[in-house]
Amino acid sequence: MRLSEILFKQSRMLYFAVFLVSLLFFSMVLVLLINVKQANLETHSTNNFKGKNLYQLSDNLYNDRETAYFSNSNSYTILRDFSNQLAQNTSLNYYNSIWQPIEIADFKGDVHFDAYYENGSNQQPYEVKGKTYRAIKSLQLNAKVFELNHIEAEEGTLFSNNDFIFSNDDSSSIPVLLGSDYAGIYKPGDTIHILYYQRPYTGNVVGILSPSQKIITANDPERLLDRYIVLPSMSFDNHVNVQAGRIFFKASLLSKINGIIITDLSPIELNKVMSTISNETHFNDFDIIGANSIAIKLLINMTEANRSLLLITAAISMIVVLLLFLWIISVVIRSNSSVYKVFLISGASFDQLYASTRNQFLLWVGISSFLPLFPLLILVSNPLYFVINYLLIDVVLCACFVIAIHLFIKRTFTRLNIVQQLKG
Amino acid sequence: MSLTLINVKKQYNNVLLFDHVSLKANPGEIIALKGKSGTGKSTLLNIIAGLEKPSSGEILLNELSFSEKSVHELSRVRREYIGYISQHTPLIPKLTVLDNITIPLHFIKKSEVNKEIMARIDEYAALLEIKNLYDNKIEQLSGGEQQRVGIIRALLHNPNLVVADEPTASLDDETSALVFECFNHLKSKGAIILLSTHHAAIAAKCDSIYLLTPDGLVLESPEISDL
Amino acid sequence: MKLNIKTKLYQTNYILILICFLSIVTSWLISYFDYVNMVNNGYINKKSISFRLEEMNKPFNPNLSGYILMQYDNERLSPKYVYINGDVKLPPIIKNNNFNIDKDIDSHAAIVGASASIESIPNGYTITGTFDTSHSYRLSSDIWLLSRIEELHLDKGHYFIFTSPSSSPEDKLSALMNGNPYEVLSMQNYGTYSLASNSLFQNILWALYLFFLLIALAHTINGHRKDGKLITVLYYSGFSTYRLIWIMIKLRLFSFMLISIFLVISCVLLNRYIYSLWDTSWLLYSFCFIGFQSLSIIIASISTSCQYSVKKEGHRF
């Protein structure tokens, strides 16, 4: 029987407690690591808007003016060029998030997904060609929205670069991303029948978003995507074939030019840039309005305050847990004092006692430090970042434990004064 | 192997326990150490067993000087040459008798229970009448039986010096006699047995008796002690 | 001798008391984070009930207290008509000189956020306070029009949010509605509620609470094991097992309960007079900890007393 086995047999419950405490400690380290990453990501997302000037673009095409504008056969091409130049301009970020319900045939979800559920104006389902359609919450987002808000998919993938380009007039399929509330209702690879600006599409589900994904929009600093179907806000690189769907192209192009400009430019500088684009594309029926940035500023403050609060509380918690962990170690050593007495009179040196005790603890600490990796590998998609960082922290922590346990054991042994105890 | 103590002194926090303790013990000698409670008998025995360092003075086991050795090195000396028996033998309650006896083997390089060691265990167990208890848990033994387990464990490696701190304090006369028989057996092999005791009958069986005083050891003869 | 034994036992309880204190702090933190989230979500918490009321056949129950009811129009979330009844915690407000919540409800007072559009305040309402919530964009742009529940009419809006510190807000809402049929709406939570890091951290705090529970349990078991020798001595001295159980419970449990309840009462007083939270769920968690710990002390006292008197040592005599 090994010495460690003898020690273990003597205080099974306490060693089990050490194991549990150690497991909880390292699980906390791992969860905190994930949480710090998450909090940083959240802060990083909102920081993309920090100190920036936000402007809302708004077209003037309504009523008679709209009719007159679209009577010109070049109007669609002009709008296309204008929106494309906005997207390509490097001095500004053109951010396009369009709240536009879409109709879905034989929709499997409940009323929460209905476009007007929250404000109580749910529309009745209707039938077209034997299919029942319901108006469902949907957002059309350009690539910049995904980039600045750090949108992540829980299952499947996000849109590829090509998904944001309307490549084929005859194409009837469109990639869609679903909010996290859709998990269990649809899955990546499923298809759904969509009416998007009255144009029928087969939506291919490419991914399910992670829970609590949100974007900043002009009207709402926080738009939660959990209940939304997300479509790519597509740019039209080729000639716009109006005959293929006049309403579709008109609505798509108009929505493309009603986005937010996020930039470091001053209003005067921005006006200059916009004048250039306007002159080059021959489109000037738009206004630039200063977007409401107070709410966004507060949102940035809130996210930063949240991170600070979490970090401070987490640091204090870790110190408390660590101290209690060391206390548990001292309890175990004390409860094993009778075993140490036996070892001592059997010829063990103090160094051997330190070593066997230290190795015993390190064995449990070592095992328990690796166990949290298993649920991580199972539950988290793309866990490599966390595994590498956790292992680095783990090595540092274990090294600290070796030193701390060694010093602590020496201190506890000195306090125990086993030789004195032998005198009876 | 002989044991020599030269002017051994021990003090705790400037309080003197004993000083000028000198002794010469030859192989095959049983020495009793007497003294009032608190005079430092257990401390002196711990020093001789290498568990504690004296404040000053020298202990020699043959040519081996204790003062030149660190506590760690003294552990090796204890492991190889000394058997230590304490008043309340510490045992591990969750282990069996045999497991407890063989614990010292964990600290010796050739740590397996070979035929020679098993024969030695059998020999002492038969002598101390606990041979039928090998597989019993310590929790199931009486105090006297536990003490005897501790004694066998101390003698497992055939020590040249046995340091026993009141080994028979918790034993009845009959069992005490068995323990002493065991010591005699070791004596015949040339070992030195140094024991502290309050029992006059036990002391009387020893070759010499020393009284520990703060000023050193005073030799008494067994006959005087009996009187 | 008796005093020494007591002192020894009390001393070993200090760690337990410390762990108890840490668990109370953790419980408080859980509630505190929830309160912060509530403020950041426009003073709407996870237990708030959103509902729509199409018609009002009977007036709402005016005698019910301990809630905040917000009424709004589906076209715009602000201003809200807010009905506050009973002693409930309000969000941080910078009050005007003569602010008095009871009086203000009667005199059509408005509380506004720093960036709210005050032009939307109806005639007859005067601003008596400003929300002091620099991190809540929702409250910063909100307007609360304080009203009496008797003045509730559906022409002010068909949409409501009901929030109560009660453990069962559904029952409370049902009592308030007085039989009027209403449709519950499932609303999403915003602000820090919607930050994954925040909800994950709440789970970490629960893990910490569990951690303290485990440590306390291990400490109790270990402490009672140490008492074994004392129990044996007392058993030899003529104490029966039942008496020993009583002694152990008296010395271990009563001292623990006394100090822990003192701790909780101190926290309650701090909560009441220095910094209060929306609800007292943290007190419930603290009591759960004390209850669990007390139970484990009782079980450990019984098992240790039996083990070290009758079973372990007693059978030999």
mmCIF file with all atom_site columns, all heavy atoms in Angstrom, chain A residues 35 42 117 119-120 214 222 227 298 306 331, chain C residues 52 134 137 159 186 191 194 196-198 222:
data_model
loop_
_atom_site.group_PDB
_atom_site.id
_atom_site.type_symbol
_atom_site.label_atom_id
_atom_site.label_alt_id
_atom_site.label_comp_id
_atom_site.label_asym_id
_atom_site.label_entity_id
_atom_site.label_seq_id
_atom_site.pdbx_PDB_ins_code
_atom_site.Cartn_x
_atom_site.Cartn_y
_atom_site.Cartn_z
_atom_site.occupancy
_atom_site.B_iso_or_equiv
_atom_site.pdbx_formal_charge
_atom_site.auth_seq_id
_atom_site.auth_comp_id
_atom_site.auth_asym_id
_atom_site.auth_atom_id
_atom_site.pdbx_PDB_model_num
ATOM 1   N N   . ASN A 1 35  ? -16.220 34.147 -18.994 1.00 0.00 ? 35  ASN A N   1
ATOM 2   C CA  . ASN A 1 35  ? -16.996 35.345 -18.711 1.00 0.00 ? 35  ASN A CA  1
ATOM 3   C C   . ASN A 1 35  ? -16.214 36.625 -19.018 1.00 0.00 ? 35  ASN A C   1
ATOM 4   O O   . ASN A 1 35  ? -16.771 37.585 -19.537 1.00 0.00 ? 35  ASN A O   1
ATOM 5   C CB  . ASN A 1 35  ? -17.433 35.338 -17.243 1.00 0.00 ? 35  ASN A CB  1
ATOM 6   C CG  . ASN A 1 35  ? -18.754 36.022 -17.071 1.00 0.00 ? 35  ASN A CG  1
ATOM 7   O OD1 . ASN A 1 35  ? -19.530 36.105 -18.016 1.00 0.00 ? 35  ASN A OD1 1
ATOM 8   N ND2 . ASN A 1 35  ? -19.021 36.530 -15.908 1.00 0.00 ? 35  ASN A ND2 1
ATOM 9   N N   . GLU A 1 42  ? -18.429 41.961 -25.280 1.00 0.00 ? 42  GLU A N   1
ATOM 10  C CA  . GLU A 1 42  ? -19.569 42.880 -25.185 1.00 0.00 ? 42  GLU A CA  1
ATOM 11  C C   . GLU A 1 42  ? -19.090 44.330 -25.169 1.00 0.00 ? 42  GLU A C   1
ATOM 12  O O   . GLU A 1 42  ? -19.631 45.197 -25.854 1.00 0.00 ? 42  GLU A O   1
ATOM 13  C CB  . GLU A 1 42  ? -20.377 42.574 -23.911 1.00 0.00 ? 42  GLU A CB  1
ATOM 14  C CG  . GLU A 1 42  ? -21.180 41.290 -24.014 1.00 0.00 ? 42  GLU A CG  1
ATOM 15  C CD  . GLU A 1 42  ? -21.545 40.684 -22.663 1.00 0.00 ? 42  GLU A CD  1
ATOM 16  O OE1 . GLU A 1 42  ? -21.159 41.259 -21.630 1.00 0.00 ? 42  GLU A OE1 1
ATOM 17  O OE2 . GLU A 1 42  ? -22.194 39.640 -22.645 1.00 0.00 ? 42  GLU A OE2 1
ATOM 18  N N   . TYR A 1 117 ? -46.110 40.940 -32.158 1.00 0.00 ? 117 TYR A N   1
ATOM 19  C CA  . TYR A 1 117 ? -46.544 40.308 -30.901 1.00 0.00 ? 117 TYR A CA  1
ATOM 20  C C   . TYR A 1 117 ? -46.388 41.263 -29.712 1.00 0.00 ? 117 TYR A C   1
ATOM 21  O O   . TYR A 1 117 ? -47.310 41.437 -28.920 1.00 0.00 ? 117 TYR A O   1
ATOM 22  C CB  . TYR A 1 117 ? -45.735 39.032 -30.654 1.00 0.00 ? 117 TYR A CB  1
ATOM 23  C CG  . TYR A 1 117 ? -45.924 38.471 -29.264 1.00 0.00 ? 117 TYR A CG  1
ATOM 24  C CD1 . TYR A 1 117 ? -47.087 37.777 -28.928 1.00 0.00 ? 117 TYR A CD1 1
ATOM 25  C CD2 . TYR A 1 117 ? -44.946 38.647 -28.276 1.00 0.00 ? 117 TYR A CD2 1
ATOM 26  C CE1 . TYR A 1 117 ? -47.277 37.288 -27.647 1.00 0.00 ? 117 TYR A CE1 1
ATOM 27  C CE2 . TYR A 1 117 ? -45.125 38.158 -26.997 1.00 0.00 ? 117 TYR A CE2 1
ATOM 28  C CZ  . TYR A 1 117 ? -46.282 37.475 -26.690 1.00 0.00 ? 117 TYR A CZ  1
ATOM 29  O OH  . TYR A 1 117 ? -46.471 36.993 -25.422 1.00 0.00 ? 117 TYR A OH  1
ATOM 30  N N   . ASN A 1 119 ? -46.324 44.489 -29.447 1.00 0.00 ? 119 ASN A N   1
ATOM 31  C CA  . ASN A 1 119 ? -47.250 45.615 -29.317 1.00 0.00 ? 119 ASN A CA  1
ATOM 32  C C   . ASN A 1 119 ? -48.677 45.212 -29.658 1.00 0.00 ? 119 ASN A C   1
ATOM 33  O O   . ASN A 1 119 ? -49.529 46.057 -29.918 1.00 0.00 ? 119 ASN A O   1
ATOM 34  C CB  . ASN A 1 119 ? -46.787 46.839 -30.105 1.00 0.00 ? 119 ASN A CB  1
ATOM 35  C CG  . ASN A 1 119 ? -46.549 46.515 -31.549 1.00 0.00 ? 119 ASN A CG  1
ATOM 36  O OD1 . ASN A 1 119 ? -46.885 45.416 -31.988 1.00 0.00 ? 119 ASN A OD1 1
ATOM 37  N ND2 . ASN A 1 119 ? -45.992 47.448 -32.288 1.00 0.00 ? 119 ASN A ND2 1
ATOM 38  N N   . GLY A 1 120 ? -48.926 43.935 -29.611 1.00 0.00 ? 120 GLY A N   1
ATOM 39  C CA  . GLY A 1 120 ? -50.299 43.427 -29.612 1.00 0.00 ? 120 GLY A CA  1
ATOM 40  C C   . GLY A 1 120 ? -51.082 43.597 -30.898 1.00 0.00 ? 120 GLY A C   1
ATOM 41  O O   . GLY A 1 120 ? -52.306 43.534 -30.869 1.00 0.00 ? 120 GLY A O   1
ATOM 42  N N   . LYS A 1 214 ? -27.334 40.705 -29.805 1.00 0.00 ? 214 LYS A N   1
ATOM 43  C CA  . LYS A 1 214 ? -28.107 41.924 -30.039 1.00 0.00 ? 214 LYS A CA  1
ATOM 44  C C   . LYS A 1 214 ? -27.333 42.896 -30.905 1.00 0.00 ? 214 LYS A C   1
ATOM 45  O O   . LYS A 1 214 ? -26.100 42.813 -30.990 1.00 0.00 ? 214 LYS A O   1
ATOM 46  C CB  . LYS A 1 214 ? -28.497 42.561 -28.713 1.00 0.00 ? 214 LYS A CB  1
ATOM 47  C CG  . LYS A 1 214 ? -27.359 42.873 -27.791 1.00 0.00 ? 214 LYS A CG  1
ATOM 48  C CD  . LYS A 1 214 ? -27.895 43.370 -26.472 1.00 0.00 ? 214 LYS A CD  1
ATOM 49  C CE  . LYS A 1 214 ? -26.777 43.717 -25.528 1.00 0.00 ? 214 LYS A CE  1
ATOM 50  N NZ  . LYS A 1 214 ? -27.255 44.207 -24.254 1.00 0.00 ? 214 LYS A NZ  1
ATOM 51  N N   . GLU A 1 222 ? -30.719 48.579 -28.272 1.00 0.00 ? 222 GLU A N   1
ATOM 52  C CA  . GLU A 1 222 ? -30.563 47.122 -28.113 1.00 0.00 ? 222 GLU A CA  1
ATOM 53  C C   . GLU A 1 222 ? -31.687 46.431 -28.871 1.00 0.00 ? 222 GLU A C   1
ATOM 54  O O   . GLU A 1 222 ? -32.846 46.504 -28.471 1.00 0.00 ? 222 GLU A O   1
ATOM 55  C CB  . GLU A 1 222 ? -30.721 46.728 -26.648 1.00 0.00 ? 222 GLU A CB  1
ATOM 56  C CG  . GLU A 1 222 ? -29.576 47.080 -25.764 1.00 0.00 ? 222 GLU A CG  1
ATOM 57  C CD  . GLU A 1 222 ? -29.852 46.594 -24.361 1.00 0.00 ? 222 GLU A CD  1
ATOM 58  O OE1 . GLU A 1 222 ? -30.677 47.229 -23.664 1.00 0.00 ? 222 GLU A OE1 1
ATOM 59  O OE2 . GLU A 1 222 ? -29.288 45.573 -23.981 1.00 0.00 ? 222 GLU A OE2 1
ATOM 60  N N   . ARG A 1 227 ? -35.577 36.350 -31.215 1.00 0.00 ? 227 ARG A N   1
ATOM 61  C CA  . ARG A 1 227 ? -36.848 35.978 -31.843 1.00 0.00 ? 227 ARG A CA  1
ATOM 62  C C   . ARG A 1 227 ? -36.891 36.333 -33.333 1.00 0.00 ? 227 ARG A C   1
ATOM 63  O O   . ARG A 1 227 ? -37.953 36.290 -33.940 1.00 0.00 ? 227 ARG A O   1
ATOM 64  C CB  . ARG A 1 227 ? -37.997 36.694 -31.131 1.00 0.00 ? 227 ARG A CB  1
ATOM 65  C CG  . ARG A 1 227 ? -38.191 36.273 -29.688 1.00 0.00 ? 227 ARG A CG  1
ATOM 66  C CD  . ARG A 1 227 ? -39.317 37.047 -29.025 1.00 0.00 ? 227 ARG A CD  1
ATOM 67  N NE  . ARG A 1 227 ? -39.476 36.612 -27.636 1.00 0.00 ? 227 ARG A NE  1
ATOM 68  C CZ  . ARG A 1 227 ? -40.341 37.176 -26.785 1.00 0.00 ? 227 ARG A CZ  1
ATOM 69  N NH1 . ARG A 1 227 ? -41.116 38.161 -27.182 1.00 0.00 ? 227 ARG A NH1 1
ATOM 70  N NH2 . ARG A 1 227 ? -40.436 36.736 -25.542 1.00 0.00 ? 227 ARG A NH2 1
ATOM 71  N N   . LEU A 1 298 ? -25.064 55.800 -23.197 1.00 0.00 ? 298 LEU A N   1
ATOM 72  C CA  . LEU A 1 298 ? -25.431 55.185 -21.905 1.00 0.00 ? 298 LEU A CA  1
ATOM 73  C C   . LEU A 1 298 ? -25.266 53.675 -21.948 1.00 0.00 ? 298 LEU A C   1
ATOM 74  O O   . LEU A 1 298 ? -24.860 53.049 -20.976 1.00 0.00 ? 298 LEU A O   1
ATOM 75  C CB  . LEU A 1 298 ? -26.878 55.550 -21.537 1.00 0.00 ? 298 LEU A CB  1
ATOM 76  C CG  . LEU A 1 298 ? -27.102 57.007 -21.128 1.00 0.00 ? 298 LEU A CG  1
ATOM 77  C CD1 . LEU A 1 298 ? -28.573 57.296 -20.945 1.00 0.00 ? 298 LEU A CD1 1
ATOM 78  C CD2 . LEU A 1 298 ? -26.364 57.320 -19.832 1.00 0.00 ? 298 LEU A CD2 1
ATOM 79  N N   . ASN A 1 306 ? -20.812 47.194 -16.156 1.00 0.00 ? 306 ASN A N   1
ATOM 80  C CA  . ASN A 1 306 ? -21.114 45.779 -15.910 1.00 0.00 ? 306 ASN A CA  1
ATOM 81  C C   . ASN A 1 306 ? -19.827 44.966 -15.865 1.00 0.00 ? 306 ASN A C   1
ATOM 82  O O   . ASN A 1 306 ? -19.609 44.170 -14.943 1.00 0.00 ? 306 ASN A O   1
ATOM 83  C CB  . ASN A 1 306 ? -22.033 45.263 -17.018 1.00 0.00 ? 306 ASN A CB  1
ATOM 84  C CG  . ASN A 1 306 ? -22.303 43.781 -16.912 1.00 0.00 ? 306 ASN A CG  1
ATOM 85  O OD1 . ASN A 1 306 ? -22.983 43.342 -15.993 1.00 0.00 ? 306 ASN A OD1 1
ATOM 86  N ND2 . ASN A 1 306 ? -21.759 43.006 -17.834 1.00 0.00 ? 306 ASN A ND2 1
ATOM 87  N N   . VAL A 1 331 ? -6.977  21.805 7.383   1.00 0.00 ? 331 VAL A N   1
ATOM 88  C CA  . VAL A 1 331 ? -7.855  20.887 8.142   1.00 0.00 ? 331 VAL A CA  1
ATOM 89  C C   . VAL A 1 331 ? -7.462  19.440 7.858   1.00 0.00 ? 331 VAL A C   1
ATOM 90  O O   . VAL A 1 331 ? -7.369  18.609 8.770   1.00 0.00 ? 331 VAL A O   1
ATOM 91  C CB  . VAL A 1 331 ? -9.345  21.140 7.783   1.00 0.00 ? 331 VAL A CB  1
ATOM 92  C CG1 . VAL A 1 331 ? -10.232 20.040 8.335   1.00 0.00 ? 331 VAL A CG1 1
ATOM 93  C CG2 . VAL A 1 331 ? -9.799  22.485 8.313   1.00 0.00 ? 331 VAL A CG2 1
ATOM 94  N N   . ARG C 2 52  ? -51.813 42.625 -21.496 1.00 0.00 ? 52  ARG C N   1
ATOM 95  C CA  . ARG C 2 52  ? -52.680 43.524 -22.247 1.00 0.00 ? 52  ARG C CA  1
ATOM 96  C C   . ARG C 2 52  ? -54.102 43.389 -21.711 1.00 0.00 ? 52  ARG C C   1
ATOM 97  O O   . ARG C 2 52  ? -54.545 42.277 -21.412 1.00 0.00 ? 52  ARG C O   1
ATOM 98  C CB  . ARG C 2 52  ? -52.648 43.143 -23.723 1.00 0.00 ? 52  ARG C CB  1
ATOM 99  C CG  . ARG C 2 52  ? -53.443 44.114 -24.592 1.00 0.00 ? 52  ARG C CG  1
ATOM 100 C CD  . ARG C 2 52  ? -53.233 43.821 -26.028 1.00 0.00 ? 52  ARG C CD  1
ATOM 101 N NE  . ARG C 2 52  ? -53.571 42.430 -26.333 1.00 0.00 ? 52  ARG C NE  1
ATOM 102 C CZ  . ARG C 2 52  ? -53.451 41.908 -27.543 1.00 0.00 ? 52  ARG C CZ  1
ATOM 103 N NH1 . ARG C 2 52  ? -52.983 42.633 -28.514 1.00 0.00 ? 52  ARG C NH1 1
ATOM 104 N NH2 . ARG C 2 52  ? -53.772 40.659 -27.767 1.00 0.00 ? 52  ARG C NH2 1
ATOM 105 N N   . SER C 2 134 ? -27.316 56.739 -14.192 1.00 0.00 ? 134 SER C N   1
ATOM 106 C CA  . SER C 2 134 ? -26.449 57.160 -15.287 1.00 0.00 ? 134 SER C CA  1
ATOM 107 C C   . SER C 2 134 ? -26.161 56.040 -16.284 1.00 0.00 ? 134 SER C C   1
ATOM 108 O O   . SER C 2 134 ? -25.688 56.292 -17.383 1.00 0.00 ? 134 SER C O   1
ATOM 109 C CB  . SER C 2 134 ? -25.139 57.704 -14.719 1.00 0.00 ? 134 SER C CB  1
ATOM 110 O OG  . SER C 2 134 ? -24.557 56.730 -13.893 1.00 0.00 ? 134 SER C OG  1
ATOM 111 N N   . TYR C 2 137 ? -30.019 53.461 -19.961 1.00 0.00 ? 137 TYR C N   1
ATOM 112 C CA  . TYR C 2 137 ? -30.536 54.294 -21.051 1.00 0.00 ? 137 TYR C CA  1
ATOM 113 C C   . TYR C 2 137 ? -32.056 54.248 -21.080 1.00 0.00 ? 137 TYR C C   1
ATOM 114 O O   . TYR C 2 137 ? -32.710 55.151 -21.566 1.00 0.00 ? 137 TYR C O   1
ATOM 115 C CB  . TYR C 2 137 ? -29.930 53.855 -22.393 1.00 0.00 ? 137 TYR C CB  1
ATOM 116 C CG  . TYR C 2 137 ? -30.499 52.578 -22.953 1.00 0.00 ? 137 TYR C CG  1
ATOM 117 C CD1 . TYR C 2 137 ? -31.607 52.596 -23.785 1.00 0.00 ? 137 TYR C CD1 1
ATOM 118 C CD2 . TYR C 2 137 ? -29.935 51.346 -22.644 1.00 0.00 ? 137 TYR C CD2 1
ATOM 119 C CE1 . TYR C 2 137 ? -32.128 51.428 -24.300 1.00 0.00 ? 137 TYR C CE1 1
ATOM 120 C CE2 . TYR C 2 137 ? -30.449 50.185 -23.141 1.00 0.00 ? 137 TYR C CE2 1
ATOM 121 C CZ  . TYR C 2 137 ? -31.553 50.219 -23.971 1.00 0.00 ? 137 TYR C CZ  1
ATOM 122 O OH  . TYR C 2 137 ? -32.089 49.063 -24.462 1.00 0.00 ? 137 TYR C OH  1
ATOM 123 N N   . TYR C 2 159 ? -51.686 48.529 -22.307 1.00 0.00 ? 159 TYR C N   1
ATOM 124 C CA  . TYR C 2 159 ? -50.541 47.666 -21.988 1.00 0.00 ? 159 TYR C CA  1
ATOM 125 C C   . TYR C 2 159 ? -50.000 47.975 -20.594 1.00 0.00 ? 159 TYR C C   1
ATOM 126 O O   . TYR C 2 159 ? -49.925 49.147 -20.204 1.00 0.00 ? 159 TYR C O   1
ATOM 127 C CB  . TYR C 2 159 ? -49.446 47.846 -23.051 1.00 0.00 ? 159 TYR C CB  1
ATOM 128 C CG  . TYR C 2 159 ? -49.903 47.287 -24.351 1.00 0.00 ? 159 TYR C CG  1
ATOM 129 C CD1 . TYR C 2 159 ? -50.690 48.046 -25.206 1.00 0.00 ? 159 TYR C CD1 1
ATOM 130 C CD2 . TYR C 2 159 ? -49.619 45.984 -24.690 1.00 0.00 ? 159 TYR C CD2 1
ATOM 131 C CE1 . TYR C 2 159 ? -51.177 47.519 -26.384 1.00 0.00 ? 159 TYR C CE1 1
ATOM 132 C CE2 . TYR C 2 159 ? -50.085 45.448 -25.868 1.00 0.00 ? 159 TYR C CE2 1
ATOM 133 C CZ  . TYR C 2 159 ? -50.872 46.212 -26.711 1.00 0.00 ? 159 TYR C CZ  1
ATOM 134 O OH  . TYR C 2 159 ? -51.350 45.677 -27.872 1.00 0.00 ? 159 TYR C OH  1
ATOM 135 N N   . SER C 2 186 ? -45.277 37.737 -23.345 1.00 0.00 ? 186 SER C N   1
ATOM 136 C CA  . SER C 2 186 ? -43.908 37.359 -22.982 1.00 0.00 ? 186 SER C CA  1
ATOM 137 C C   . SER C 2 186 ? -42.941 38.384 -23.562 1.00 0.00 ? 186 SER C C   1
ATOM 138 O O   . SER C 2 186 ? -42.736 38.433 -24.772 1.00 0.00 ? 186 SER C O   1
ATOM 139 C CB  . SER C 2 186 ? -43.622 35.964 -23.539 1.00 0.00 ? 186 SER C CB  1
ATOM 140 O OG  . SER C 2 186 ? -42.256 35.748 -23.633 1.00 0.00 ? 186 SER C OG  1
ATOM 141 N N   . GLY C 2 191 ? -30.999 45.704 -21.309 1.00 0.00 ? 191 GLY C N   1
ATOM 142 C CA  . GLY C 2 191 ? -29.991 46.225 -20.380 1.00 0.00 ? 191 GLY C CA  1
ATOM 143 C C   . GLY C 2 191 ? -28.993 45.140 -20.033 1.00 0.00 ? 191 GLY C C   1
ATOM 144 O O   . GLY C 2 191 ? -28.648 44.304 -20.876 1.00 0.00 ? 191 GLY C O   1
ATOM 145 N N   . SER C 2 194 ? -29.579 41.333 -20.677 1.00 0.00 ? 194 SER C N   1
ATOM 146 C CA  . SER C 2 194 ? -29.332 40.683 -21.966 1.00 0.00 ? 194 SER C CA  1
ATOM 147 C C   . SER C 2 194 ? -27.846 40.468 -22.237 1.00 0.00 ? 194 SER C C   1
ATOM 148 O O   . SER C 2 194 ? -27.488 40.012 -23.316 1.00 0.00 ? 194 SER C O   1
ATOM 149 C CB  . SER C 2 194 ? -29.947 41.518 -23.089 1.00 0.00 ? 194 SER C CB  1
ATOM 150 O OG  . SER C 2 194 ? -29.285 42.755 -23.177 1.00 0.00 ? 194 SER C OG  1
ATOM 151 N N   . ALA C 2 196 ? -24.712 38.321 -21.829 1.00 0.00 ? 196 ALA C N   1
ATOM 152 C CA  . ALA C 2 196 ? -24.428 36.920 -21.465 1.00 0.00 ? 196 ALA C CA  1
ATOM 153 C C   . ALA C 2 196 ? -23.470 36.856 -20.278 1.00 0.00 ? 196 ALA C C   1
ATOM 154 O O   . ALA C 2 196 ? -23.594 35.981 -19.416 1.00 0.00 ? 196 ALA C O   1
ATOM 155 C CB  . ALA C 2 196 ? -23.836 36.195 -22.664 1.00 0.00 ? 196 ALA C CB  1
ATOM 156 N N   . SER C 2 197 ? -22.530 37.795 -20.213 1.00 0.00 ? 197 SER C N   1
ATOM 157 C CA  . SER C 2 197 ? -21.550 37.784 -19.116 1.00 0.00 ? 197 SER C CA  1
ATOM 158 C C   . SER C 2 197 ? -22.254 37.970 -17.775 1.00 0.00 ? 197 SER C C   1
ATOM 159 O O   . SER C 2 197 ? -21.890 37.371 -16.771 1.00 0.00 ? 197 SER C O   1
ATOM 160 C CB  . SER C 2 197 ? -20.514 38.881 -19.318 1.00 0.00 ? 197 SER C CB  1
ATOM 161 O OG  . SER C 2 197 ? -21.125 40.145 -19.296 1.00 0.00 ? 197 SER C OG  1
ATOM 162 N N   . ASN C 2 198 ? -23.288 38.791 -17.783 1.00 0.00 ? 198 ASN C N   1
ATOM 163 C CA  . ASN C 2 198 ? -24.013 39.067 -16.545 1.00 0.00 ? 198 ASN C CA  1
ATOM 164 C C   . ASN C 2 198 ? -24.775 37.835 -16.065 1.00 0.00 ? 198 ASN C C   1
ATOM 165 O O   . ASN C 2 198 ? -24.708 37.475 -14.886 1.00 0.00 ? 198 ASN C O   1
ATOM 166 C CB  . ASN C 2 198 ? -24.974 40.236 -16.788 1.00 0.00 ? 198 ASN C CB  1
ATOM 167 C CG  . ASN C 2 198 ? -25.564 40.762 -15.515 1.00 0.00 ? 198 ASN C CG  1
ATOM 168 O OD1 . ASN C 2 198 ? -26.421 40.106 -14.930 1.00 0.00 ? 198 ASN C OD1 1
ATOM 169 N ND2 . ASN C 2 198 ? -25.106 41.908 -15.064 1.00 0.00 ? 198 ASN C ND2 1
ATOM 170 N N   . ASN C 2 222 ? -16.172 17.599 10.150  1.00 0.00 ? 222 ASN C N   1
ATOM 171 C CA  . ASN C 2 222 ? -14.846 17.533 10.748  1.00 0.00 ? 222 ASN C CA  1
ATOM 172 C C   . ASN C 2 222 ? -14.864 17.977 12.212  1.00 0.00 ? 222 ASN C C   1
ATOM 173 O O   . ASN C 2 222 ? -14.252 17.334 13.071  1.00 0.00 ? 222 ASN C O   1
ATOM 174 C CB  . ASN C 2 222 ? -13.881 18.404 9.933   1.00 0.00 ? 222 ASN C CB  1
ATOM 175 C CG  . ASN C 2 222 ? -12.461 18.213 10.352  1.00 0.00 ? 222 ASN C CG  1
ATOM 176 O OD1 . ASN C 2 222 ? -11.998 17.090 10.460  1.00 0.00 ? 222 ASN C OD1 1
ATOM 177 N ND2 . ASN C 2 222 ? -11.764 19.300 10.623  1.00 0.00 ? 222 ASN C ND2 1
#
